[in-house]
Amino acid sequence: MKRSKRAKTVLAKGRAVVGIDVGKRKHAATALTPSGEIIAQLAFFPNTREGINILENRVLHKAGGPGKSLLAMEATGHYWMCLYHELTRRGYRCVVLNPVQTNAYARSQIRKNRNDRIDSEGIARLVLAGKARATRVPDEKTAEMRLWVRHRQRLLRAANSMERFAHTLVDRVFPEYAGVLSKPFLPSAQKLIREIGLAPADLLHRKRDVRRVLHAASRGRIAPQTVDTLLQAAKQSIGTRQAEDVANRQLVLIFDCLATLREQIAAVEDEIDLRMQKIDSPLFSLGITAKLAAVIHAESDPIGDFPTADQYVAYAGLDPSSYRSGDTIDRRGKISKRGSPTLRRALYLAAFVVTRKHAYFRRTYQKHRRHGKNHRNALVIVSRHLTRVIWRMMTDGREFTKRPPQNALPARK
């Protein structure tokens, strides 16, 4: 994937600065001269082509137009994207700022008056003060990969949520059921719920059908003794006996929903695998799956945005927070968690893999376990160390080796 220069501090460089406060359906804008005087303000304009024409006629042309003005806006959800790309297509230089920066600047003001117009002016003054840093805007291929991997995670979360809800229904109707069948939602169990239901009274009333369905659906793998145990548990069940029919119908609907979700997950994973085959990724040498490597690439590319490993670690939110005050207080706290949560989770999962597959990382894990760290904290430390290794691998385009190289190759431009 194409590499770009790292986003540095945003500097006006003698240009007029236009701050845009982004909303869902309408935005506000303020244009300032390099000396901080207001050129023009627009209390609101709609998020349409007509609205952007109004912005251009009333504010941007007065600020000098393309080439003579710098436009800055907040990364408010996804609402900034259409505005950003339309203004970029019209030739304007646009930067996107993290709301953490703009909110901190707004809180630093003495007066507490805030509205969209004041916020847009604050964004412009933050840029003029030289304290703003641009957020990374992905290129086309990275944006596509990011959409795929995030959609896969969204589908997985939906499937997990439905499974958890199904367990709550089972615990209401037949709480002893999961103790008999360790995996209560296998095809055989689903067949039982679809044909007979899960209410203990129904199971006891149709004992012969229960044995027939479980034997046929499991192809004889469920022992008769297990079925006897299930029926005995149904006889002694303390289920609520309320809304049992509704719970059974909902379980059937959940099974259908899960089947659809799993089909979609499989389709998305096939697309991710196909795209990863086109990437000569050094991450495979770590032994991680293509799905995990895809998440790291989607959230990290272009790696050239990070000239040092420390900056990449900070972007992942794995850098330790610190607190210093005077000459007596100097302590390090938990990880900052200020970066990409998707990347941080992927690196944490990758730490599980490399700790088991590579002695190089296993020694780091065992060392901190001996020093009193619990399992999770030790894995976080491995994740931070792995992040540095991944930065070097992706920067140099080299595969993982047990020993780090003596001389690092120059970073790709």
Side-chain angles (χ1 to χ4, degrees):
M1 296 184 181
K2 184 179 178 182
R3 301 179 186 275
S4 64
K5 294 182 180 179
R6 175 179 174 265
K8 298 181 180 179
T9 302
V10 180
L11 300 176
K13 296 182 179 180
R15 295 171 292 185
V17 178
V18 180
I20 302 177
D21 183 68
V22 177
K24 182 177 181 179
R25 298 285 180 246
K26 60 182 182 179
H27 319 299
T30 300
L32 302 179
T33 64
S35 60
E37 298 178 358
I38 296 179
I39 300 174
Q41 281 189 319
L42 195 57
F44 71 90
F45 62 95
N47 187 40
T48 61
R49 182 175 295 276
E50 181 182 356
I52 296 178
N53 290 337
I54 295 173
L55 169 69
E56 195 168 24
N57 294 330
R58 296 187 184 180
V59 177
L60 301 185
H61 285 168
K62 294 181 181 180
K68 295 184 179 180
S69 58
L70 175 65
L71 281 59
M73 63 189 73
E74 283 183 331
T76 306
H78 61 275
Y79 301 116
W80 61 272
M81 294 182 179
C82 295
L83 179 64
Y84 172 90
H85 288 288
E86 176 62 22
L87 291 171
T88 301
R89 286 191 291 266
R90 298 190 184 196
Y92 290 94
R93 167 76 171 121
C94 302
V95 294
V96 183
L97 309 180
N98 192 314
V100 173
Q101 303 177 76
T102 55
N103 290 336
Y105 180 81
R107 288 194 297 269
S108 69
Q109 304 304 301
I110 295 176
R111 299 184 63 84
K112 292 186 177 181
N113 295 338
R114 291 192 66 179
N115 54 44
D116 294 344
R117 178 181 55 79
I118 293 174
D119 287 345
S120 66
E121 181 181 345
I123 293 171
R125 295 197 181 281
L126 178 64
V127 174
L128 286 177
K131 298 179 180 179
R133 298 183 72 87
T135 296
R136 305 169 71 239
V137 178
D139 58 21
E140 183 73 14
K141 290 185 178 180
T142 305
E144 290 177 356
M145 182 68 82
R146 188 174 296 182
L147 284 173
W148 280 118
V149 299
R150 291 186 178 182
H151 187 54
R152 174 178 174 268
Q153 292 179 349
R154 195 175 297 112
L155 292 173
L156 289 172
R157 286 196 296 268
N160 291 335
S161 177
M162 296 301 291
E163 287 183 358
R164 287 195 298 270
F165 179 62
H167 281 287
T168 65
L169 292 176
V170 172
D171 290 341
R172 286 164 55 110
V173 176
F174 190 179
E176 300 85 359
Y177 175 77
V180 178
L181 298 176
S182 58
K183 296 182 179 180
F185 297 135
L186 288 176
S188 55
Q190 290 191 30
K191 188 74 172 177
L192 176 67
I193 294 173
R194 288 179 183 275
E195 292 196 11
I196 300 176
L198 199 61
D202 293 339
L203 297 177
L204 293 172
H205 182 67
R206 302 175 59 184
K207 293 181 180 181
R208 182 175 299 178
D209 291 335
V210 171
R211 298 181 188 278
R212 174 184 56 79
V213 169
L214 290 178
H215 179 78
S218 67
R219 298 179 182 178
R221 294 179 182 177
I222 296 181
Q225 295 82 357
T226 304
V227 180
D228 293 339
T229 304
L230 180 67
L231 294 174
Q232 183 63 28
K235 186 176 181 180
Q236 303 295 330
S237 178
I238 58 170
T240 61
R241 300 180 185 178
Q242 288 184 333
E244 292 176 331
D245 292 340
V246 175
N248 284 331
R249 291 176 61 186
Q250 285 188 345
L251 283 171
V252 173
L253 293 174
I254 289 173
F255 295 152
D256 293 339
C257 179
L258 287 174
T260 302
L261 286 173
R262 285 164 183 154
E263 288 179 2
Q264 294 185 12
I265 291 170
V268 171
E269 289 180 347
D270 290 342
E271 178 67 27
I272 291 174
D273 290 339
L274 183 62
R275 289 175 177 269
M276 286 303 297
Q277 290 174 7
K278 301 177 182 179
I279 300 176
D280 185 18
S281 175
L283 300 183
F284 292 125
S285 61
L286 290 168
I288 62 177
T289 64
K291 286 80 175 175
L292 207 52
V295 176
I296 295 174
H297 275 287
E299 299 295 326
S300 304
D301 286 339
I303 198 65
D305 286 351
F306 310 100
T308 67
D310 287 340
Q311 291 172 351
Y312 185 49
V313 170
Y315 177 73
L318 290 170
D319 56 321
S321 58
S322 62
Y323 177 66
R324 297 180 181 180
S325 179
D327 299 329
T328 58
I329 300 177
D330 185 1
R331 63 173 179 266
R332 303 176 75 183
K334 300 178 180 179
I335 56 175
S336 65
K337 295 186 179 181
R338 279 297 182 95
S340 168
T342 305
L343 176 60
R344 184 165 57 253
R345 181 176 182 274
L347 293 169
Y348 183 78
L349 294 176
F352 275 97
V353 178
V354 299
T355 301
R356 289 166 173 77
K357 290 193 173 185
H358 300 287
Y360 180 71
F361 295 102
R362 187 160 54 251
R363 285 194 297 269
T364 302
Y365 172 83
Q366 293 172 345
K367 169 187 172 183
H368 290 282
R369 288 287 282 159
R370 288 194 299 269
H371 290 173
K373 300 290 184 181
N374 60 35
H375 172 69
R376 177 176 294 182
N377 289 342
L379 275 178
V380 168
I381 295 171
V382 174
S383 302
R384 182 162 60 243
H385 186 58
L386 175 62
T387 305
R388 296 178 180 276
V389 173
I390 288 176
W391 176 85
R392 174 53 63 192
M393 292 168 59
M394 296 176 66
T395 300
D396 295 348
R398 71 169 87 226
E399 294 186 350
F400 174 74
T401 57
K402 295 181 179 180
R403 293 184 179 181
Q406 295 294 329
N407 297 316
L409 296 176
R412 296 179 184 177
K413 295 182 179 179

